[in-house]
Coordinates of all heavy atoms in Angstrom, one line a residue:
M1 N -74.9 -15.6 46.4 CA -73.7 -14.7 46.6 C -73.7 -14.1 48.0 O -74.7 -13.9 48.6 CB -73.7 -13.6 45.6 CG -73.4 -14.1 44.2 SD -73.1 -12.8 43.0 CE -74.6 -11.9 43.1
R2 N -72.5 -13.8 48.4 CA -72.3 -13.3 49.8 C -71.9 -11.9 49.9 O -71.5 -11.4 50.9 CB -71.3 -14.2 50.4 CG -71.7 -15.6 50.6 CD -70.5 -16.4 51.1 NE -71.0 -17.7 51.6 CZ -70.3 -18.8 51.6 NH1 -69.0 -18.8 51.3 NH2 -70.8 -19.9 52.0
I3 N -72.2 -11.1 48.8 CA -71.6 -9.7 48.9 C -72.4 -8.9 49.9 O -71.7 -8.0 50.5 CB -71.7 -9.0 47.5 CG1 -73.1 -9.0 46.9 CG2 -70.7 -9.7 46.6 CD1 -73.1 -8.2 45.6
K4 N -73.6 -9.1 50.2 CA -74.3 -8.4 51.2 C -73.7 -8.7 52.6 O -73.5 -7.8 53.4 CB -75.8 -8.6 51.2 CG -76.6 -7.8 52.2 CD -78.1 -8.0 52.0 CE -78.8 -7.1 53.0 NZ -80.3 -7.2 52.8
D5 N -73.5 -10.0 52.9 CA -73.0 -10.4 54.1 C -71.6 -9.8 54.4 O -71.3 -9.4 55.4 CB -72.9 -11.9 54.2 CG -74.3 -12.6 54.3 OD1 -75.3 -11.9 54.7 OD2 -74.4 -13.7 53.9
L6 N -70.8 -9.9 53.3 CA -69.4 -9.3 53.4 C -69.5 -7.8 53.7 O -68.7 -7.3 54.6 CB -68.6 -9.6 52.1 CG -68.1 -11.0 52.0 CD1 -67.6 -11.2 50.5 CD2 -66.9 -11.2 52.9
R7 N -70.3 -7.1 53.0 CA -70.4 -5.7 53.2 C -70.9 -5.4 54.7 O -70.3 -4.5 55.4 CB -71.4 -5.1 52.2 CG -71.6 -3.6 52.4 CD -72.6 -3.0 51.4 NE -73.9 -3.6 51.5 CZ -74.8 -3.3 52.4 NH1 -74.5 -2.4 53.3 NH2 -76.0 -3.9 52.4
E8 N -71.9 -6.1 55.1 CA -72.4 -5.8 56.5 C -71.4 -6.2 57.5 O -71.3 -5.6 58.6 CB -73.8 -6.6 56.7 CG -74.9 -5.9 55.8 CD -76.2 -6.7 55.9 OE1 -76.2 -7.9 56.4 OE2 -77.2 -6.1 55.5
D9 N -70.7 -7.3 57.3 CA -69.7 -7.8 58.3 C -68.6 -6.7 58.5 O -68.0 -6.7 59.5 CB -69.1 -9.1 57.9 CG -70.0 -10.3 58.0 OD1 -71.1 -10.1 58.7 OD2 -69.7 -11.4 57.5
N10 N -68.4 -6.0 57.4 CA -67.3 -4.9 57.4 C -67.9 -3.5 57.7 O -67.2 -2.5 57.6 CB -66.6 -4.9 56.1 CG -65.7 -6.1 56.0 OD1 -64.5 -6.1 56.5 ND2 -66.1 -7.2 55.3
D11 N -69.2 -3.5 58.1 CA -69.8 -2.2 58.4 C -69.7 -1.1 57.3 O -69.3 0.0 57.6 CB -69.3 -1.7 59.8 CG -69.7 -2.6 60.9 OD1 -70.8 -3.2 60.9 OD2 -68.8 -2.8 61.8
L12 N -69.9 -1.6 56.1 CA -69.8 -0.6 55.0 C -71.2 -0.3 54.4 O -72.0 -1.2 54.2 CB -68.9 -1.3 53.9 CG -67.5 -1.7 54.2 CD1 -66.9 -2.5 53.2 CD2 -66.7 -0.4 54.4
P13 N -71.4 0.9 54.0 CA -72.6 1.3 53.3 C -72.5 0.9 51.8 O -71.4 0.8 51.3 CB -72.7 2.8 53.5 CG -71.3 3.2 53.6 CD -70.6 2.1 54.3
Q14 N -73.6 0.7 51.2 CA -73.6 0.3 49.8 C -72.9 1.4 48.9 O -72.2 1.1 48.0 CB -75.0 0.1 49.2 CG -75.6 -1.1 49.7 CD -77.0 -1.3 49.0 OE1 -77.6 -0.4 48.5 NE2 -77.5 -2.5 49.1
R15 N -73.1 2.7 49.3 CA -72.5 3.8 48.6 C -70.9 3.7 48.5 O -70.3 3.9 47.5 CB -72.8 5.1 49.3 CG -72.1 6.3 48.9 CD -72.2 6.8 47.4 NE -73.5 6.9 47.0 CZ -73.9 6.9 45.8 NH1 -73.1 6.6 44.8 NH2 -75.2 7.0 45.4
E16 N -70.3 3.2 49.6 CA -68.8 3.1 49.6 C -68.4 2.1 48.6 O -67.4 2.3 47.8 CB -68.3 2.7 51.0 CG -66.8 2.8 51.1 CD -66.3 2.7 52.5 OE1 -67.0 3.2 53.5 OE2 -65.3 2.1 52.7
L17 N -69.1 0.9 48.5 CA -68.7 -0.1 47.6 C -69.0 0.3 46.1 O -68.2 0.1 45.2 CB -69.5 -1.4 47.9 CG -68.8 -2.4 48.8 CD1 -67.6 -3.0 48.3 CD2 -68.7 -1.9 50.2
A18 N -70.1 1.0 46.0 CA -70.5 1.5 44.6 C -69.4 2.5 44.2 O -69.0 2.5 43.0 CB -71.8 2.2 44.7
D19 N -69.0 3.4 45.0 CA -67.9 4.3 44.7 C -66.6 3.6 44.3 O -66.0 4.0 43.3 CB -67.6 5.3 45.8 CG -68.8 6.3 46.0 OD1 -69.7 6.4 45.1 OD2 -68.8 7.0 47.1
Y20 N -66.3 2.6 45.1 CA -65.1 1.8 44.8 C -65.1 1.2 43.4 O -64.1 1.1 42.7 CB -64.9 0.8 45.9 CG -63.8 -0.2 45.6 CD1 -62.4 0.1 45.8 CD2 -64.1 -1.5 45.2 CE1 -61.4 -0.8 45.5 CE2 -63.1 -2.5 44.9 CZ -61.8 -2.1 45.1 OH -60.8 -3.0 44.8
L21 N -66.3 0.7 43.1 CA -66.5 0.0 41.8 C -66.8 0.9 40.7 O -67.0 0.5 39.5 CB -67.7 -1.0 42.0 CG -67.4 -2.2 43.0 CD1 -68.7 -2.9 43.3 CD2 -66.3 -3.1 42.5
H22 N -67.0 2.2 40.9 CA -67.3 3.2 39.9 C -68.7 2.9 39.3 O -68.8 3.0 38.1 CB -66.2 3.3 38.9 CG -64.9 3.6 39.5 ND1 -64.5 4.8 40.0 CD2 -63.8 2.8 39.6 CE1 -63.3 4.7 40.5 NE2 -62.8 3.5 40.2
I23 N -69.7 2.6 40.1 CA -71.0 2.3 39.7 C -72.0 3.1 40.6 O -71.6 3.6 41.6 CB -71.4 0.8 39.7 CG1 -71.3 0.3 41.1 CG2 -70.5 0.1 38.7 CD1 -71.7 -1.2 41.2
K24 N -73.2 3.1 40.2 CA -74.3 3.8 41.0 C -74.7 2.9 42.1 O -74.6 1.7 42.0 CB -75.5 4.2 40.1 CG -75.2 5.2 39.1 CD -76.4 5.6 38.3 CE -76.1 6.6 37.3 NZ -77.3 7.1 36.6
Q25 N -75.1 3.5 43.2 CA -75.5 2.8 44.4 C -76.7 1.9 44.1 O -76.7 0.7 44.6 CB -75.9 3.8 45.5 CG -76.2 3.1 46.8 CD -77.7 2.8 46.9 OE1 -78.5 3.5 46.4 NE2 -78.0 1.7 47.6
N26 N -77.6 2.3 43.3 CA -78.8 1.4 43.0 C -78.3 0.2 42.2 O -78.9 -0.8 42.3 CB -79.9 2.2 42.4 CG -79.6 2.7 41.0 OD1 -78.4 3.0 40.7 ND2 -80.6 2.9 40.2
T27 N -77.3 0.4 41.3 CA -76.8 -0.8 40.6 C -76.2 -1.8 41.6 O -76.4 -3.0 41.5 CB -75.7 -0.3 39.6 OG1 -76.3 0.6 38.7 CG2 -75.2 -1.5 38.8
Y28 N -75.4 -1.3 42.5 CA -74.8 -2.2 43.5 C -75.9 -2.9 44.3 O -75.8 -4.1 44.6 CB -73.9 -1.5 44.4 CG -73.2 -2.4 45.4 CD1 -72.1 -3.1 45.0 CD2 -73.7 -2.6 46.7 CE1 -71.5 -4.1 45.9 CE2 -73.2 -3.5 47.5 CZ -72.1 -4.2 47.1 OH -71.5 -5.2 48.0
S29 N -77.0 -2.2 44.7 CA -78.1 -2.7 45.4 C -78.7 -3.9 44.6 O -79.1 -4.9 45.2 CB -79.1 -1.7 45.7 OG -80.2 -2.2 46.3
Q30 N -78.8 -3.7 43.3 CA -79.4 -4.7 42.5 C -78.5 -6.0 42.4 O -79.0 -7.1 42.3 CB -79.7 -4.2 41.0 CG -80.8 -3.2 41.0 CD -80.9 -2.5 39.6 OE1 -79.9 -2.5 38.8 NE2 -82.1 -1.9 39.4
Y31 N -77.2 -5.8 42.5 CA -76.3 -7.0 42.6 C -76.6 -7.7 43.9 O -76.7 -9.0 43.9 CB -74.9 -6.5 42.5 CG -74.4 -5.9 41.3 CD1 -73.3 -5.0 41.3 CD2 -74.9 -6.2 40.0 CE1 -72.8 -4.4 40.1 CE2 -74.4 -5.7 38.9 CZ -73.4 -4.8 38.9 OH -72.9 -4.2 37.8
E32 N -76.7 -7.0 45.0 CA -76.9 -7.6 46.3 C -78.3 -8.4 46.3 O -78.4 -9.4 46.9 CB -76.9 -6.6 47.4 CG -75.5 -6.2 47.9 CD -75.5 -5.5 49.2 OE1 -76.6 -5.2 49.7 OE2 -74.4 -5.1 49.6
N33 N -79.3 -7.8 45.7 CA -80.6 -8.4 45.7 C -80.9 -9.4 44.7 O -82.0 -10.0 44.6 CB -81.7 -7.3 45.6 CG -81.6 -6.4 46.8 OD1 -81.4 -6.8 48.0 ND2 -81.9 -5.1 46.6
G34 N -79.9 -9.7 43.8 CA -80.0 -10.7 42.8 C -80.9 -10.2 41.6 O -81.3 -11.0 40.8
Q35 N -81.2 -8.9 41.5 CA -82.0 -8.4 40.4 C -81.2 -8.2 39.2 O -81.7 -8.0 38.1 CB -82.6 -7.0 40.8 CG -83.6 -7.2 42.0 CD -84.1 -5.9 42.5 OE1 -83.4 -4.9 42.4 NE2 -85.3 -5.9 43.0
R36 N -79.8 -8.2 39.3 CA -78.9 -8.0 38.2 C -77.7 -8.9 38.4 O -77.3 -9.1 39.5 CB -78.5 -6.5 38.2 CG -77.5 -6.1 37.1 CD -77.1 -4.7 37.2 NE -78.2 -3.9 36.7 CZ -78.1 -2.7 36.1 NH1 -76.9 -2.2 36.0 NH2 -79.1 -2.0 35.6
Q37 N -77.3 -9.5 37.3 CA -76.1 -10.3 37.3 C -74.8 -9.6 37.7 O -74.6 -8.5 37.2 CB -75.9 -11.0 36.0 CG -77.0 -12.1 35.6 CD -76.8 -13.3 36.4 OE1 -75.6 -13.7 36.8 NE2 -77.8 -14.1 36.7
L38 N -74.0 -10.2 38.5 CA -72.7 -9.6 38.8 C -71.7 -9.8 37.7 O -71.4 -11.0 37.5 CB -72.3 -10.2 40.2 CG -71.1 -9.6 40.9 CD1 -71.5 -8.2 41.4 CD2 -70.7 -10.4 42.1
P39 N -71.2 -8.7 37.1 CA -70.2 -8.9 36.0 C -68.9 -9.5 36.6 O -68.6 -9.2 37.7 CB -70.0 -7.5 35.5 CG -71.2 -6.7 35.9 CD -71.6 -7.3 37.2
I40 N -68.2 -10.3 35.8 CA -67.0 -10.9 36.2 C -66.0 -9.9 36.8 O -65.4 -10.1 37.8 CB -66.3 -11.6 35.0 CG1 -67.2 -12.8 34.6 CG2 -64.9 -12.1 35.4 CD1 -67.2 -14.0 35.6
E41 N -65.9 -8.7 36.1 CA -64.9 -7.7 36.6 C -65.3 -7.2 37.9 O -64.4 -6.9 38.7 CB -64.7 -6.6 35.5 CG -65.9 -5.8 35.2 CD -66.7 -6.4 34.0 OE1 -66.4 -7.5 33.5 OE2 -67.7 -5.7 33.6
V42 N -66.5 -7.1 38.2 CA -67.0 -6.6 39.5 C -66.8 -7.7 40.6 O -66.3 -7.4 41.7 CB -68.5 -6.2 39.5 CG1 -69.0 -5.9 40.9 CG2 -68.7 -5.0 38.6
L43 N -67.0 -8.9 40.2 CA -66.8 -10.1 41.1 C -65.3 -10.1 41.5 O -65.0 -10.2 42.7 CB -67.2 -11.4 40.4 CG -66.8 -12.7 41.1 CD1 -67.6 -12.8 42.5 CD2 -67.1 -13.9 40.2
I44 N -64.4 -10.0 40.5 CA -63.0 -10.0 40.8 C -62.6 -8.8 41.7 O -61.8 -8.9 42.6 CB -62.2 -10.0 39.5 CG1 -62.4 -11.3 38.8 CG2 -60.7 -9.8 39.7 CD1 -61.9 -11.4 37.3
A45 N -63.1 -7.6 41.4 CA -62.8 -6.4 42.2 C -63.2 -6.6 43.6 O -62.5 -6.2 44.6 CB -63.4 -5.2 41.6
L46 N -64.4 -7.2 43.8 CA -64.9 -7.4 45.2 C -64.0 -8.4 45.9 O -63.8 -8.3 47.1 CB -66.4 -7.8 45.2 CG -67.3 -6.7 44.8 CD1 -68.8 -7.3 44.6 CD2 -67.4 -5.6 45.9
A47 N -63.6 -9.5 45.2 CA -62.8 -10.5 45.9 C -61.4 -9.8 46.3 O -61.0 -10.1 47.4 CB -62.5 -11.6 44.9
K48 N -60.9 -9.0 45.5 CA -59.7 -8.3 45.8 C -59.9 -7.3 47.0 O -59.1 -7.3 47.9 CB -59.1 -7.5 44.7 CG -58.5 -8.4 43.6 CD -58.0 -7.6 42.4 CE -57.4 -8.5 41.3 NZ -56.9 -7.8 40.2
Y49 N -61.0 -6.6 47.0 CA -61.3 -5.7 48.0 C -61.4 -6.3 49.4 O -60.9 -5.9 50.4 CB -62.6 -4.9 47.7 CG -63.0 -3.9 48.7 CD1 -62.5 -2.6 48.5 CD2 -63.9 -4.1 49.7 CE1 -62.9 -1.6 49.4 CE2 -64.3 -3.1 50.6 CZ -63.8 -1.9 50.5 OH -64.1 -0.9 51.4
Y50 N -62.1 -7.5 49.4 CA -62.4 -8.2 50.7 C -61.3 -9.2 51.0 O -61.3 -9.9 52.0 CB -63.7 -8.9 50.6 CG -64.9 -8.0 50.7 CD1 -65.8 -8.0 49.7 CD2 -65.1 -7.2 51.8 CE1 -66.9 -7.1 49.7 CE2 -66.2 -6.4 51.9 CZ -67.1 -6.3 50.8 OH -68.2 -5.5 50.9
K51 N -60.3 -9.3 50.1 CA -59.2 -10.3 50.2 C -59.7 -11.7 50.4 O -59.4 -12.4 51.4 CB -58.3 -9.8 51.4 CG -57.6 -8.5 51.1 CD -56.7 -8.1 52.3 CE -56.0 -6.8 52.0 NZ -56.8 -5.6 51.9
T52 N -60.6 -12.1 49.5 CA -61.2 -13.4 49.6 C -61.2 -14.0 48.1 O -60.6 -13.4 47.2 CB -62.6 -13.4 50.2 OG1 -63.0 -14.7 50.4 CG2 -63.6 -12.7 49.3
S53 N -61.7 -15.2 48.0 CA -61.8 -15.7 46.6 C -63.2 -15.5 46.0 O -64.2 -15.2 46.7 CB -61.6 -17.3 46.7 OG -62.7 -17.9 47.3
T54 N -63.2 -15.5 44.7 CA -64.4 -15.4 43.9 C -65.3 -16.6 44.3 O -66.6 -16.4 44.3 CB -64.2 -15.3 42.4 OG1 -63.5 -16.5 42.0 CG2 -63.5 -14.0 42.0
D55 N -64.8 -17.8 44.5 CA -65.6 -18.9 44.9 C -66.3 -18.7 46.2 O -67.4 -19.1 46.4 CB -64.7 -20.2 45.0 CG -64.3 -20.8 43.7 OD1 -64.8 -20.3 42.7 OD2 -63.5 -21.7 43.7
Y56 N -65.7 -18.0 47.2 CA -66.3 -17.7 48.4 C -67.5 -16.8 48.2 O -68.6 -17.0 48.7 CB -65.4 -17.1 49.4 CG -66.1 -16.8 50.7 CD1 -66.4 -17.8 51.6 CD2 -66.5 -15.5 51.0 CE1 -67.0 -17.5 52.8 CE2 -67.1 -15.2 52.2 CZ -67.4 -16.2 53.1 OH -68.1 -15.9 54.2
I57 N -67.3 -15.7 47.4 CA -68.4 -14.8 47.1 C -69.5 -15.5 46.4 O -70.7 -15.2 46.7 CB -67.9 -13.6 46.2 CG1 -66.9 -12.8 47.1 CG2 -69.0 -12.8 45.7 CD1 -66.2 -11.7 46.3
L58 N -69.2 -16.4 45.5 CA -70.3 -17.1 44.8 C -70.9 -18.3 45.6 O -71.9 -18.9 45.1 CB -69.7 -17.7 43.5 CG -69.2 -16.7 42.5 CD1 -68.5 -17.3 41.3 CD2 -70.4 -15.8 42.0
G59 N -70.4 -18.5 46.8 CA -71.0 -19.6 47.6 C -70.5 -21.0 47.3 O -71.1 -22.0 47.7
L60 N -69.4 -21.1 46.5 CA -68.9 -22.4 46.1 C -68.0 -23.0 47.2 O -67.7 -24.2 47.1 CB -68.2 -22.3 44.8 CG -69.0 -21.8 43.6 CD1 -68.1 -21.6 42.4 CD2 -70.1 -22.8 43.3
T61 N -67.6 -22.2 48.1 CA -66.8 -22.7 49.2 C -67.1 -21.9 50.5 O -67.6 -20.8 50.3 CB -65.2 -22.6 48.9 OG1 -64.5 -23.1 50.0 CG2 -64.8 -21.2 48.7
D62 N -66.8 -22.4 51.6 CA -67.0 -21.7 52.9 C -65.7 -21.2 53.4 O -65.7 -20.6 54.5 CB -67.7 -22.6 53.9 CG -69.2 -22.9 53.5 OD1 -69.8 -22.1 52.9 OD2 -69.6 -24.0 53.9
E63 N -64.6 -21.4 52.7 CA -63.3 -20.9 53.1 C -63.1 -19.5 52.6 O -63.0 -19.2 51.4 CB -62.2 -21.8 52.4 CG -60.8 -21.5 52.8 CD -60.5 -21.6 54.3 OE1 -60.9 -22.6 54.9 OE2 -59.9 -20.7 54.8
K64 N -63.0 -18.5 53.5 CA -62.9 -17.1 53.2 C -61.5 -16.8 52.6 O -61.3 -15.9 51.8 CB -63.1 -16.2 54.4 CG -64.5 -16.0 54.7 CD -64.7 -14.9 55.8 CE -66.1 -14.5 56.0 NZ -66.3 -13.5 57.0
K65 N -60.5 -17.6 53.1 CA -59.1 -17.3 52.7 C -58.9 -17.5 51.2 O -59.3 -18.6 50.7 CB -58.2 -18.2 53.5 CG -56.7 -18.0 53.3 CD -55.9 -18.9 54.2 CE -54.4 -18.7 53.9 NZ -53.6 -19.6 54.7
P66 N -58.3 -16.6 50.5 CA -58.1 -16.8 49.1 C -57.1 -17.8 48.8 O -56.3 -18.2 49.6 CB -57.6 -15.4 48.6 CG -57.0 -14.8 49.8 CD -57.8 -15.3 51.0
Y67 N -57.1 -18.3 47.6 CA -56.2 -19.3 47.1 C -54.8 -18.7 47.0 O -54.6 -17.5 46.8 CB -56.6 -19.9 45.8 CG -58.0 -20.5 45.8 CD1 -59.0 -19.9 45.0 CD2 -58.3 -21.6 46.5 CE1 -60.3 -20.5 44.9 CE2 -59.6 -22.1 46.5 CZ -60.5 -21.6 45.7 OH -61.8 -22.1 45.7
N68 N -53.8 -19.6 47.1 CA -52.4 -19.1 46.9 C -52.1 -18.9 45.5 O -52.6 -19.5 44.6 CB -51.4 -20.1 47.5 CG -51.5 -20.1 49.1 OD1 -51.8 -19.1 49.7 ND2 -51.2 -21.2 49.7

């Protein structure tokens, strides 16, 4: 998954994303580190936040632009 790269590319702290997702910062950290599975609803919310596709976040494509 690319959520750490996306966050760092946008100069965002984990706390900001955790607040956006209404979760604790340590939970978000566990998503980034692969210690916890990313729920579908969080995956979708992150794709919308970054204006990209879920496939990009999951590493299934290198195309950042979302589908039409």
Side-chain angles (χ1 to χ4, degrees):
M1 288 190 304
R2 296 175 164 153
I3 60 174
K4 183 175 183 177
D5 293 335
L6 283 167
R7 180 181 59 78
E8 290 175 346
D9 289 348
N10 287 277
D11 297 321
L12 299 168
Q14 286 183 346
R15 166 62 54 204
E16 188 170 327
L17 272 294
D19 289 347
Y20 171 76
L21 297 168
H22 307 289
I23 59 175
K24 294 183 179 183
Q25 182 272 326
N26 67 331
T27 301
Y28 184 82
S29 176
Q30 291 173 339
Y31 294 152
E32 279 193 358
N33 294 325
Q35 296 172 332
R36 182 179 280 208
Q37 288 286 334
L38 190 66
I40 293 289
E41 59 273 6
V42 171
L43 174 63
I44 293 168
L46 288 172
K48 289 179 181 179
Y49 184 85
Y50 290 119
K51 296 178 177 71
T52 191
S53 70
T54 56
D55 283 353
Y56 180 77
I57 292 174
L58 295 171
L60 299 174
T61 183
D62 291 329
E63 181 64 44
K64 278 188 176 183
K65 185 177 177 184
Y67 304 115
N68 291 330

